Amino acid sequence: MRKFEEKTGQLYGQQKIRGFCHLYIGQEAVMAGTMSVIGAEDSVITAYRDHAHALAKGVSANECMAEMFGKITGCSKGKGGSMHFFSKEHKMMGGHGIVGGQIPLGAGIAFAEKYLGNTNVNVCYMGDGAVRQGAFNETLNMAMTWKLPVIFVCENNGYAMGTSVARTTNMMDIYKMGHGFDMPSAPVDGMDVVAVHNAMDEAVQRARAGEGPTFLEIRTYRYKGHSMSDPAKYRTKEELEEFKGRDPLLSTKAAIVENKYADDAWFAEVDAEIKKIVDESVKFAEESEYPDASEIYKDVYVQEDYPFIMD
Ligand SMILES: Cc1ncc(C[n+]2csc(CCOP(=O)(O)OP(=O)(O)O)c2C)c(N)n1
Ligand SMILES: [Mg+2]
């Protein structure tokens, strides 16, 4: 996730990737910790900061990179771009640009799974800004009433664009918003991948057992600006450095080496392998074709054979 996005940032600077683009760098422990709990049959849905979600759910780096280049081989056939990564195969249900728009959709997917009688869950990610939408409250109410198998994950990175959480609320503990619906809710250290995994594991077990939703407020931080055009003047250098000092990649690596699960040579091998995958994705994207003009109205509305849930 980190290497893919570092490359994405470079390519944006070279104007090979255009349009809106929001990097996830710094928040990776949220994705690694939550995705390591769920399986291929479970679905995820999120907002526009979606590259890591797609990669972690199994969408290939090739398809993700090609999407940002606007190429037909992209996961949304080059018509979605950075903010709209979708994959029916991997049950990655987007990539949504309207803040909070994905929250009722996630509950809807969970409703469908329950209706079909399986034990699949939906993980519905959102930002700290998104919880200020009315739809968030309405969705939590319905999800709890119907005991839907959905895990609401608020990735609290402290800011909604340039607006800090402190400027948008009198009550800083976002997880407490779930208490208004008697929903199991908890704060989680988002820089600690094991803490994230454990909280998620509990939530997913509850959802699979038919006991309904959970609301996790995972406290994290984004190192880059909101989008590529944001110089991030609304926060101090010290604040940024403090979080970088707790970088989840470094602390996880240290724990792995300390416990002798792997050594530096193994990390070097993995680093080289990932560099190759990322470099190849750029080549793949560059060599792919743009969609033909005849594609423009395709996939805008649901095709008869499309809805995965009715298969
Ligand atoms: C309904 C709506 N209002 C406003 C915007 C403009 N907007 C885009 S991102 C954003 C901030 C959202 O912040 P947050 O939910 O914390 O997510 P983050 O970017 O931190 O991941 C806003 C206000 C939008 N896309 N949709
Ligand atoms: Mg935010």
Side-chain angles (χ1 to χ4, degrees), residues 48-49 97-99 127-130 133 157 159-161 226:
Y48 43 82
R49 198 180 299 285
I98 303 299
V99 170
D128 47 278
Q133 286 284 38
N157 58 14
Y159 296 91
M161 300 183 85
H226 166 72

Side-chain angles (χ1 to χ4, degrees), residues 64-299:
C64 292
M65 194 58 86
E67 188 56 40
M68 285 192 283
F69 275 65
K71 301 294 181 76
I72 187 78
T73 51
C75 57
S76 301
K77 299 184 186 163
K79 294 183 284 185
S82 161
M83 300 204 294
H84 306 108
F85 283 10
F86 280 79
S87 171
K88 176 183 171 185
E89 183 192 348
H90 297 285
K91 293 182 85 166
M92 163 64 184
M93 310 308 289
H96 297 264
I98 303 299
V99 170
Q102 78 279 18
I103 304 173
L105 299 179
I109 295 166
F111 179 93
E113 300 285 20
K114 184 168 178 155
Y115 184 80
L116 292 171
N118 59 48
T119 57
N120 300 338
V121 303
N122 176 261
V123 189
C124 179
Y125 297 89
M126 68 202 74
D128 47 278
V131 301
R132 305 299 160 200
Q133 286 284 38
F136 169 77
N137 291 280
E138 296 173 44
T139 303
L140 257 60
N141 187 54
M142 287 171 93
M144 198 58 197
T145 306
W146 294 335
K147 302 287 181 288
L148 299 183
V150 53
I151 296 91
F152 297 105
V153 175
C154 174
E155 299 196 53
N156 179 2
N157 58 14
Y159 296 91
M161 300 183 85
T163 307
S164 68
V165 174
R167 288 183 66 204
T168 55
T169 182
N170 176 52
M171 197 273 290
M172 296 289 286
D173 290 327
I174 291 176
Y175 74 94
K176 288 181 184 164
M177 293 177 82
H179 291 166
F181 309 96
D182 255 354
M183 187 181 294
S185 307
V188 184
D189 179 357
M191 304 311 265
D192 179 345
V193 70
V194 176
V196 175
H197 176 96
N198 289 342
M200 184 69 175
D201 193 36
E202 209 182 283
V204 169
Q205 282 188 35
R206 188 160 40 237
R208 291 207 204 284
E211 292 165 21
T214 299
F215 179 46
L216 299 177
E217 178 202 346
I218 307 191
R219 294 172 177 170
T220 180
Y221 203 78
R222 64 166 154 72
Y223 297 171
K224 303 285 180 185
H226 166 72
S227 65
M228 303 307 288
S229 57
D230 171 18
K233 287 192 174 142
Y234 43 82
R235 63 185 184 189
T236 62
K237 224 176 156 187
E238 290 73 34
E239 181 182 287
L240 176 61
E241 291 311 316
E242 185 193 323
F243 278 95
K244 281 189 173 176
R246 297 173 54 217
D247 189 274
L249 269 70
L250 298 181
S251 56
T252 306
K253 183 178 175 181
I256 289 173
V257 172
E258 196 181 311
N259 286 288
K260 298 195 170 43
Y261 297 134
D263 55 17
D264 284 333
W266 182 83
F267 275 101
E269 237 173 75
V270 171
D271 275 350
E273 196 184 318
I274 291 170
K275 185 176 180 314
K276 200 165 151 239
I277 290 170
V278 173
D279 287 347
E280 274 174 14
S281 75
V282 180
K283 189 164 182 280
F284 176 80
E286 278 178 331
E287 289 173 358
S288 294
E289 300 292 331
Y290 287 109
D292 189 78
S294 64
E295 285 279 319
I296 200 159
Y297 294 118
K298 281 190 198 153
D299 306 308

